[in-house]
Amino acid sequence: MKQKQIKLSGKEGFEKYYQDLYGARWQELKNSFQKETNTVEYFVKGAQNPYYLDSASVLAALCLPVKNSQKILDLCAAPGGKTVVLASRMDKETELFANERSASRKTRLQNTVNTCLPSEINSRIKISCSDGAVWCKKQSECFDRILLDAPCSSERHVFLDSKYLDQWTPSRIKTVTMQQWSLLSCAFRLLKENGIMVYSTCALCPLENDLMIEKLLQKFNKEQDTIQVFPIEYDKQEIKSFCSAELPDFEKTKYGAQILPDIQNGAGPIYFSIIKKTKSIV
């Protein structure tokens, strides 16, 4: 056991862990990490500036249906790219609540909202700075739509930073999955009956992706069916006035979809799943 722990640390451990997950594909994934991300311009008419983000992130945010919603929550919103995508698509009467736990990242989020959205839209965005995992202690079933872009292992960034790569151990995954579960279970409690949520990460590890959704199903579908996993569907035409770039294709997973940069021209990694709360749990 001691030898195994030593082996699964640093660059060597990182390599073995993800080689075991992705097999022969791992080499191509690593090669793609060193190339440019497939960044696209997203511009909302009337805003000061466009926002530039990964095309895979645009697609994930596009998969949350926001029409006919009164209250939308972006629970881990900074730096604000997905917030911009959601806000640009919401109805004129809709409010969007954008939360970020980090004060410094909240400042960046505020700047994004101020400069990348016109005043008519950003006036309906409420920005907060708090731990999204504890919101459900004070309120429940109050949002029609929720986007949870959860903190994750972010293996692409780890691989490209020798400092983080040298420090890597499997405990990094254990730590973030605990955070993800706290956020996901809280977000589900905040979702109204018949509300829809998109859960997303930029992680490669199934523990942070499909297995997190499986844990949610096991928790809340134990006594009654309260969760429906939606197929990945979206309207490509909906954002044509904001973003002219072609969005990437995705690979289906058990509970969602994954976009990986080795076969999508640098887009991703992004995982996302669409779930609906079919019954109240209050």
Side-chain angles (χ1 to χ4, degrees):
M1 178 63 72
K2 186 176 181 180
Q3 289 178 342
K4 184 176 181 180
Q5 289 175 343
I6 292 173
K7 191 172 184 180
L8 289 181
S9 64
K11 182 178 180 179
E12 182 182 351
F14 182 87
E15 287 281 341
K16 176 168 174 48
Y17 189 90
Y18 289 97
Q19 175 76 48
D20 288 347
L21 283 177
Y22 284 91
R25 189 176 183 180
W26 177 234
Q27 185 60 49
E28 290 302 315
L29 278 169
K30 287 193 299 179
N31 292 341
S32 68
F33 291 165
Q34 299 178 74
K35 300 176 183 178
E36 289 187 10
T37 303
N38 189 354
T39 301
V40 299
E41 179 183 279
Y42 198 94
F43 182 70
V44 183
K45 186 178 180 180
Q48 296 177 36
N49 301 315
Y51 192 91
Y52 295 92
L53 72 166
D54 190 328
S55 59
S57 295
V58 176
L59 194 151
L62 181 59
C63 283
L64 183 66
V66 297
K67 298 299 180 184
N68 302 315
S69 302
Q70 293 180 333
K71 294 173 67 176
I72 302 170
L73 173 62
D74 189 350
L75 194 55
C76 300
K82 293 186 181 70
T83 306
V84 170
V85 177
L86 295 178
S88 69
R89 299 166 50 230
M90 67 185 185
D91 296 334
K92 291 183 178 180
E93 300 78 21
T94 304
E95 286 187 309
L96 194 159
F97 295 77
N99 178 69
E100 175 54 46
R101 183 176 64 177
S102 162
S104 60
R105 285 172 57 82
K106 182 253 185 180
T107 299
R108 186 178 175 188
L109 170 64
Q110 183 73 68
N111 183 64
T112 297
V113 168
N114 289 343
T115 60
C116 299
L117 289 168
S119 58
E120 185 278 325
I121 294 179
N122 68 39
S123 64
R124 290 182 284 116
I125 299 178
K126 315 298 181 184
I127 295 179
S128 58
C129 183
S130 63
D131 182 359
V134 299
W135 276 38
C136 59
K137 293 182 178 180
K138 296 182 179 180
Q139 54 188 323
S140 64
E141 302 200 343
C142 49
F143 292 99
D144 303 288
R145 302 289 186 266
I146 297 177
L147 173 66
L148 172 55
D149 186 20
C152 68
S153 290
S154 190
E155 293 94 344
R156 183 171 192 160
H157 298 293
V158 172
F159 179 76
L160 294 174
D161 191 317
S162 59
K163 174 185 174 182
Y164 291 112
L165 189 58
D166 290 343
Q167 295 173 351
W168 184 90
T169 69
S171 63
R172 177 185 177 91
I173 297 170
K174 182 178 181 180
T175 298
V176 296
T177 53
M178 291 172 63
Q179 296 172 351
Q180 289 162 351
W181 174 246
S182 295
L183 287 162
L184 180 58
S185 57
C186 178
F188 188 72
R189 290 180 171 91
L190 292 170
L191 194 62
K192 288 182 180 180
E193 183 176 356
N194 294 316
I196 298 172
M197 175 168 62
V198 165
Y199 169 80
S200 71
T201 78
C202 58
L204 295 172
C205 181
L207 288 170
E208 303 178 49
N209 298 333
D210 265 355
L211 292 179
M212 194 59 59
I213 301 301
E214 188 165 284
K215 185 174 181 179
L216 190 74
L217 291 166
Q218 291 172 348
K219 169 70 175 179
F220 291 102
N221 275 3
K222 195 170 185 180
E223 297 179 0
Q224 57 177 340
D225 290 336
T226 58
I227 302 172
Q228 178 183 356
V229 179
F230 273 20
I232 305 302
E233 296 179 347
Y234 60 93
D235 181 0
K236 290 184 177 181
Q237 298 302 316
E238 190 181 355
I239 61 162
K240 285 297 183 181
S241 60
F242 309 114
C243 178
S244 60
E246 287 295 320
L247 297 183
D249 290 328
F250 58 83
E251 301 170 60
K252 292 182 180 179
T253 67
K254 186 175 182 179
Y255 299 115
Q258 195 166 29
I259 300 169
L260 297 177
D262 59 327
I263 61 172
Q264 292 303 327
N265 195 32
I270 287 285
Y271 167 87
F272 55 99
S273 177
I274 311 170
I275 62 172
K276 179 178 181 179
K277 179 188 279 189
T278 57
K279 294 180 182 178
S280 172
I281 59 172
V282 175

